[in-house]
Amino acid sequence: MKLIFLGPPGAGKGTQATGVSSHLRVPHISTGDMFRSAIKNQTPTGLEAKRYMDAGQLVPDSVVIAMVEERLAMEDCANGYLLDGFPRTVEQAEALEKIAAPDAVIDIEVPDEKLLDRLTGRRVCTKCSGTFHISKLADEKLCPVCGGELYQRDDDKPATISNRLNVYHAQTAPLIGYYAGLGRLKRIDGDDRPEDVFHKILSSLE
Ligand code: AMP
């Protein structure tokens, strides 16, 4: 099954994508994670992406589309995949239709006022990439799952967050109408406990 997870930053796409992809046994492809790893490895794509990410802007379509096309051509994607964070513009969605049209698009919806708290309180594990909210952590520095060191993403700092939400509404939210028009959109209320959101997603795919 070829799936897309759509939704504003902080909606829980990453958390849900991890659970759903392992349940469906398809690779979880997060363009944000791909860029963060490219930055860590100081590749040319990473160096180009960094300045956009730090500003809360989208990386140019041509760069993202080329990276995703290369990734989807890999053998592990032959039986499907779950794309998390791509497409983010209508141009990317149109390019994806030509590469491999998705079967369903899960739109996880959370009101903006909740997103701000989720993003400023988010911590990510340097080892397992798990994400946690500080309100649920006994120790803000250590991953409760693997013991790795936790950090705050640069783009989760308040100055960048409002930019990312504006970019989402201006450039990514139009995809909701785009995929609804193609009859592939499943709208999920993401303002709920993660385990309940997970079950709602699975039932929407049945
Ligand atoms: P994420 O981890 O999905 O929140 O992505 C972090 C950042 O990576 C975004 O704010 C963008 O700067 C960049 N990024 C990730 N996916 C895309 C995409 N599909 N198109 C453009 N930029 C992206």
Side-chain angles (χ1 to χ4, degrees):
M1 180 175 267
K2 299 189 285 278
L3 283 181
I4 288 176
F5 273 31
L6 203 64
K13 291 190 299 296
T15 305
Q16 295 301 333
T18 303
V20 173
S21 64
S22 77
H23 182 85
L24 297 177
R25 295 169 198 273
V26 292
H28 169 196
I29 300 171
S30 154
T31 42
D33 282 351
M34 289 171 85
F35 284 132
R36 278 182 288 277
S37 141
I39 290 171
K40 213 163 145 192
N41 297 321
Q42 301 196 321
T43 68
T45 302
L47 294 176
E48 177 162 15
K50 188 172 173 7
R51 54 198 176 105
Y52 295 101
M53 292 172 76
D54 285 349
Q57 300 294 336
L58 294 184
V59 177
D61 285 334
S62 56
V63 177
V64 195
I65 292 167
M67 182 176 80
V68 170
E69 185 162 18
E70 195 179 315
R71 179 65 187 88
L72 294 184
M74 291 183 185
E75 219 178 293
D76 63 336
C77 294
N79 293 323
Y81 52 76
L82 192 164
L83 277 170
D84 159 17
F86 181 94
R88 260 176 155 105
T89 64
V90 171
E91 191 175 336
Q92 292 177 19
E94 285 170 347
L96 184 63
E97 287 298 305
K98 291 187 193 132
I99 302 169
D103 301 307
V105 179
I106 306 286
D107 176 38
I108 307 180
E109 301 180 350
V110 174
D112 272 13
E113 55 275 19
K114 299 265 170 96
L115 296 172
L116 203 63
D117 170 64
R118 285 187 182 199
L119 290 166
T120 49
R122 175 159 73 179
R123 297 294 179 271
V124 185
C125 176
T126 43
K127 236 164 129 186
C128 71
S129 299
T131 58
F132 309 93
H133 192 272
I134 44 171
S135 64
K136 302 253 165 63
L137 290 168
D139 182 341
E140 279 185 28
K141 300 217 154 56
L142 284 185
C143 174
V145 175
C146 75
E149 203 179 317
L150 296 177
Y151 73 102
Q152 182 176 34
R153 281 170 45 171
D154 283 343
D155 59 354
D156 277 348
K157 307 217 163 121
T160 314
I161 289 174
S162 63
N163 241 352
R164 290 170 66 207
L165 290 176
N166 289 339
V167 165
Y168 168 78
H169 288 296
Q171 294 183 261
T172 307
L175 291 178
I176 297 172
Y178 177 87
Y179 285 118
L182 292 174
R184 300 199 205 124
L185 191 76
K186 319 259 181 211
R187 304 185 87 139
I188 304 289
D189 175 10
D191 188 13
D192 214 337
R193 295 186 314 161
E195 52 274 38
D196 293 332
V197 177
F198 177 75
H199 290 299
K200 283 189 268 187
I201 293 173
L202 290 188
S203 6
S204 80
L205 294 172
E206 272 164 14

